[in-house]
Amino acid sequence: MKLFSLMSMALFGSAAAFAPAPIANSRSVVSTNMAAAEGELYIDQNRRNLMNLILVGSAAVTVGGLAVPYILFFVPPGAGGGTGGTPAKDALGNEIFAKEYLASKKAGDHSLAQGLKGDATYLIVKEDGSLENYGLNAVCTHLGCVVPWSAANNKFMCPCHGSQYAPTGAVVRGPAPLPLALAHLDIDESGKILFSPWTETDFRTDGKPWWT
């Protein structure tokens, strides 16, 4: 009888050891874990949004910094004066005024100034002491050398390969294939000398200007 009692107690203890935990406590733990996971997900989403904003902002600044100079490269130089021309400038970058300029030059003078796009451009003083209504780009049309004016020979003579141009810039000797480019020359109300693009017929060839 005692043996039977001892065996019953042992079986009851073993059964209790394998009994499942209370359901209420299990559900409480699951709920707590889910709440913690949702909190972490919410924080991660905020961080992700912040990082996305930072990346988009950085990309916009980078693209803008590259695009603006690229666009400005194709914009013509700033115009000066009321006629919309580009002011002629001397070697020091000072704007040239016709009255002072002509007072220092003789008839037949061909001197260089900064013209359209900063190109070296000849200002030509006529025999009556006034300026020609055009300027001549000094860049040789052969290989791009700057062509000096030879007063003794009354023509432009390139020292690089021997090309020669008439006082109007027309080719008189090769290998230059084309005349010197033209630019309109005007004087605004303040007396400032202005250059502007020459887009009509080239009076030396009666053809379309090659530089446009």
Side-chain angles (χ1 to χ4, degrees):
M1 190 65 179
K2 290 181 179 181
L3 179 61
F4 179 76
S5 297
L6 291 173
M7 291 180 63
S8 297
M9 291 176 66
L11 289 173
F12 180 76
S14 299
F18 290 99
I23 295 177
N25 292 341
S26 176
R27 289 179 178 175
S28 177
V29 172
V30 172
S31 299
T32 302
N33 291 339
M34 290 182 64
E38 289 177 357
E40 292 178 359
L41 178 61
Y42 179 75
I43 294 173
D44 289 343
Q45 186 62 40
N46 285 342
R47 290 176 179 172
R48 189 177 295 112
N49 290 339
L50 179 60
M51 290 301 297
N52 288 340
L53 289 175
I54 293 173
L55 288 174
V56 171
S58 300
V61 171
T62 302
V63 173
L66 295 174
V68 171
Y70 179 80
I71 294 171
L72 292 178
F73 176 80
F74 295 97
V75 177
T83 62
T86 299
K89 297 181 179 181
D90 61 21
L92 299 177
N94 300 312
E95 295 179 347
I96 302 174
F97 290 82
K99 184 177 180 180
E100 291 80 0
Y101 181 81
L102 291 172
S104 64
K105 303 296 180 182
K106 296 180 179 180
D109 182 81
H110 293 63
S111 295
L112 288 172
Q114 294 182 45
L116 299 175
K117 299 180 181 179
D119 287 348
T121 304
Y122 280 103
L123 298 174
I124 303 170
V125 181
K126 298 188 294 184
E127 292 302 320
D128 63 2
S130 63
L131 285 167
E132 279 284 6
N133 62 358
Y134 61 84
L136 287 175
N137 192 308
V139 178
C140 183
T141 59
H142 178 222
L143 291 178
C145 297
V146 173
V147 184
W149 167 253
S150 173
N153 294 286
N154 195 39
K155 56 186 173 182
F156 298 97
M157 302 177 69
C158 183
C160 296
H161 302 95
S163 297
Q164 297 181 10
Y165 303 85
T168 60
V171 177
V172 295
R173 175 181 171 181
L178 299 165
L180 299 176
L182 294 168
H184 283 291
L185 186 151
D186 296 290
I187 301 172
D188 69 5
E189 295 178 354
S190 68
K192 189 184 303 179
I193 299 174
L194 304 175
F195 288 119
S196 58
W198 186 295
T199 58
E200 61 269 34
T201 301
D202 184 342
F203 65 86
R204 302 160 303 183
T205 63
D206 292 325
K208 182 179 179 181
W210 62 264
W211 56 89
T212 59

